[in-house]
Amino acid sequence: MPNSPSGDSSTDRLIRVLESFTSTRTAQTAAEIGRRAGLPASSAHRIVGELVATGLLERDDDRRVRIGMRLWELATRSSRALRLRQAALGPMERVQRRVREHTQLAILEQDEALFVEQLSDPDSGSNATRVAGRLPLHASSSGLVLLAFGDRALQERVLAGPLSALTGETLVDQAALRRKLAEVRALGHALAPGFVDADATGLAVPVRDETGAVAAALSVVLRRGMPVEPALAELRVGKLELERALGFRGRA
Amino acid sequence: MPNSPSGDSSTDRLIRVLESFTSTRTAQTAAEIGRRAGLPASSAHRIVGELVATGLLERDDDRRVRIGMRLWELATRSSRALRLRQAALGPMERVQRRVREHTQLAILEQDEALFVEQLSDPDSGSNATRVAGRLPLHASSSGLVLLAFGDRALQERVLAGPLSALTGETLVDQAALRRKLAEVRALGHALAPGFVDADATGLAVPVRDETGAVAAALSVVLRRGMPVEPALAELRVGKLELERALGFRGRA
């Protein structure tokens, strides 16, 4: 697409507009979008106008705009996320009904854990994650699974840091993280007590697809101090069901 | 954004690229995208390259590209669809467990019913719809609910036709459709036997949000000949739960 005088393509400008929306900032004026996307006010108004005309953004009752249902539809109907979460929903429901705590599915995306599905109960404990939200690989049970079973280049990139601490218990030491990844591979699950939230323990298992590669992490967020073994047993049942649905044959 | 010599904006070209992907056509080469989006091959290659660089599209192992997880994430994390389906998931699960047939949630989008969530059972009957799929308003139980409780201008646009037939039983006569909409408003539910699929009966109820407006249709797809009353009772329970979650106070 044609470039602006500053040299960025209109695709760059579009993604900066889309990135200015977050899970807590769902409606903005064109001027606010321009400021956050680093666009001149006139460009921001023109781009927002074009995106509203095509339905990728929607205009609110006042002068604010939101992500349009048309964009959600186009992004969802042919995405990998949809296939994976449709296969996962049944197994996840059974895990959630038995464990009665947040049950989640994450994939590796741009060196982070991206959560593509989450089932919760009104009585579930606190939880930092949400659908389409992310967590660092070294700092969550799902991330540790994706990292431990990921390729060597990914592991070296993450181990090289920086390793940010979400709580006082997040593993931020390179040698300790290396030992943790070996433990995850040996045990076939990752336990992350207090890594994300001092009151919660993440517990995740790897899910393999038809190629035998780890395609996702299935996890539950337990309250600190809850017994781990019953939840792990349920996760293992759910993982096998999901692997069967994804076409995985045989055991790692 | 700057316009091409043909006068369409780069936003137009972008949406044509995204629209070339469907639920059954999830991977394409740049040349195929160009043909379907009506773009010269050189433009198609450049735009696809830019979209891959930003992660909005992803390159496959061969030369094909798919919708990127980054686009799904940006479109989902701040969308209305996410808020609605998160509120609906619990009530929908209970309906699905009791009725044991496809349970769906649809909203009005561009004069069609857009399905934002669907729960199914391995044993559920046949079903034409899927998540992020659409059906015509006059030809599905969800669409009939959204149309019957929609505004007058919408009803007149749809009634003016053309009214396409999906089966021999789809209502395509204007006067008959008008009577059907009055019946849906009077009964508070829509029954669509054989409208979409000769072997299935759609059954939908309206869901009101905190403004009192009908924000969605909650539906089940019954096998033809199954009793309707028990499913309707479950839908009504689910609808009340969902309306409470959405902040609707009082009864219509």
Side-chain angles (χ1 to χ4, degrees):
Chain A
M1 295 185 200
N3 287 357
S4 76
S6 61
D8 54 347
S9 73
S10 46
T11 308
D12 291 329
R13 295 195 293 279
L14 171 75
I15 199 167
R16 293 212 305 273
V17 168
L18 297 182
E19 280 175 339
S20 71
F21 292 88
T22 66
S23 54
T24 53
R25 193 195 300 141
T26 59
Q28 308 177 84
T29 65
E32 288 165 349
I33 292 171
R35 271 198 303 281
R36 293 188 176 113
L39 293 170
S42 59
S43 306
H45 275 92
R46 191 184 60 247
I47 294 172
V48 166
E50 286 176 10
L51 292 171
V52 168
T54 54
L56 297 192
L57 295 182
E58 287 172 5
R59 223 177 271 286
D60 231 344
D61 30 355
D62 48 27
R63 291 173 314 125
R64 301 185 311 166
V65 292
R66 307 174 162 271
I67 292 290
M69 287 303 306
R70 182 88 185 110
L71 182 61
W72 174 83
E73 177 187 7
L74 290 174
T76 301
R77 70 181 181 185
S78 56
S79 87
R80 276 196 289 140
L82 181 62
R83 175 175 170 258
L84 191 58
R85 60 83 70 183
Q86 290 293 87
L89 214 43
M92 288 181 72
E93 277 170 23
R94 276 184 286 278
V95 170
Q96 204 276 329
R97 270 210 300 283
R98 303 292 294 268
V99 181
R100 304 200 72 77
E101 297 293 338
H102 303 285
T103 303
Q104 316 178 126
L105 190 74
I107 63 165
L108 179 68
E109 173 68 8
Q110 297 171 316
D111 293 4
E112 293 187 290
L114 172 65
F115 290 84
V116 296
E117 187 54 276
Q118 178 179 42
L119 301 182
S120 303
D121 197 88
D123 300 327
S124 299
S126 68
N127 190 11
T129 64
R130 52 183 85 213
V131 174
R134 295 184 180 215
L135 281 176
L137 291 178
H138 71 283
S140 58
S141 63
S142 300
L144 288 169
V145 158
L146 296 170
L147 186 57
F149 293 96
D151 64 34
R152 184 60 65 96
L154 168 72
Q155 290 166 8
E156 294 308 319
R157 268 200 309 282
V158 172
L159 282 161
L163 298 169
S164 59
L166 302 187
T167 70
E169 293 173 274
T170 313
L171 271 188
V172 294
D173 174 73
Q174 195 191 88
L177 180 54
R178 233 180 246 287
R179 284 193 300 272
K180 182 74 178 179
L181 295 179
E183 177 198 295
V184 170
R185 281 187 295 267
L187 295 174
H189 70 262
L191 192 69
F195 283 27
V196 175
D197 176 331
D199 298 329
T201 294
L203 176 64
V205 296
V207 176
R208 295 179 188 272
D209 66 13
E210 79 281 10
T211 69
V214 171
L218 180 64
S219 63
V220 290
V221 182
L222 304 176
R223 280 161 235 247
R224 205 68 187 270
M226 269 179 74
V228 169
E229 280 303 324
L232 183 56
E234 295 299 337
L235 275 181
R236 287 196 167 129
V237 172
K239 157 212 173 72
L240 291 176
E241 282 178 359
L242 176 49
E243 288 182 335
R244 209 173 305 125
L246 293 176
F248 175 58
R249 315 246 163 263
R251 308 284 297 114
Chain B
M1 295 185 202
N3 286 356
S4 76
S6 60
D8 53 349
S9 74
S10 46
T11 308
D12 290 330
R13 295 195 293 279
L14 172 74
I15 201 169
R16 294 212 305 274
V17 167
L18 297 182
E19 281 175 337
S20 72
F21 292 87
T22 66
S23 54
T24 52
R25 193 195 300 141
T26 59
Q28 308 177 82
T29 65
E32 287 165 350
I33 291 171
R35 273 199 302 281
R36 293 187 176 114
L39 293 170
S42 59
S43 307
H45 275 93
R46 192 185 59 249
I47 294 172
V48 166
E50 287 175 9
L51 292 171
V52 168
T54 54
L56 297 191
L57 295 183
E58 287 171 5
R59 223 176 272 286
D60 231 344
D61 30 354
D62 48 26
R63 291 173 314 126
R64 301 184 311 167
V65 291
R66 309 175 161 271
I67 293 290
M69 286 304 304
R70 182 87 186 112
L71 181 61
W72 174 82
E73 177 187 7
L74 291 174
T76 300
R77 69 181 183 185
S78 56
S79 87
R80 276 197 290 139
L82 181 62
R83 177 176 168 256
L84 190 58
R85 60 84 69 181
Q86 289 293 86
L89 214 43
M92 289 181 71
E93 276 170 24
R94 277 185 284 279
V95 170
Q96 204 275 329
R97 271 210 298 283
R98 302 294 294 267
V99 181
R100 303 200 71 78
E101 297 292 339
H102 302 285
T103 303
Q104 314 178 127
L105 190 73
I107 63 166
L108 180 67
E109 172 69 9
Q110 295 172 315
D111 292 6
E112 293 185 291
L114 172 65
F115 290 84
V116 295
E117 189 53 277
Q118 178 180 40
L119 301 182
S120 303
D121 197 270
D123 300 329
S124 299
S126 67
N127 189 12
T129 64
R130 55 182 82 212
V131 174
R134 294 183 180 216
L135 281 176
L137 291 178
H138 71 282
S140 58
S141 62
S142 300
L144 288 167
V145 159
L146 296 169
L147 186 57
F149 293 96
D151 64 34
R152 185 59 66 96
L154 169 71
Q155 290 166 8
E156 293 309 318
R157 269 199 309 282
V158 172
L159 283 160
L163 298 168
S164 59
L166 303 186
T167 69
E169 292 173 273
T170 313
L171 272 188
V172 294
D173 176 72
Q174 193 190 91
L177 180 55
R178 235 182 245 287
R179 284 194 300 274
K180 182 74 179 179
L181 294 179
E183 176 198 297
V184 170
R185 281 186 295 268
L187 295 174
H189 70 260
L191 192 69
F195 283 28
V196 175
D197 175 331
D199 297 329
T201 293
L203 176 64
V205 296
V207 176
R208 293 179 190 272
D209 66 14
E210 78 282 9
T211 69
V214 171
L218 180 65
S219 63
V220 289
V221 182
L222 304 175
R223 279 160 234 248
R224 204 68 185 270
M226 267 179 75
V228 169
E229 279 304 324
L232 183 56
E234 296 298 338
L235 275 181
R236 287 194 167 131
V237 172
K239 157 212 172 74
L240 290 176
E241 283 178 356
L242 177 50
E243 288 180 335
R244 209 173 307 126
L246 293 176
F248 175 57
R249 316 244 162 264
R251 306 282 300 112

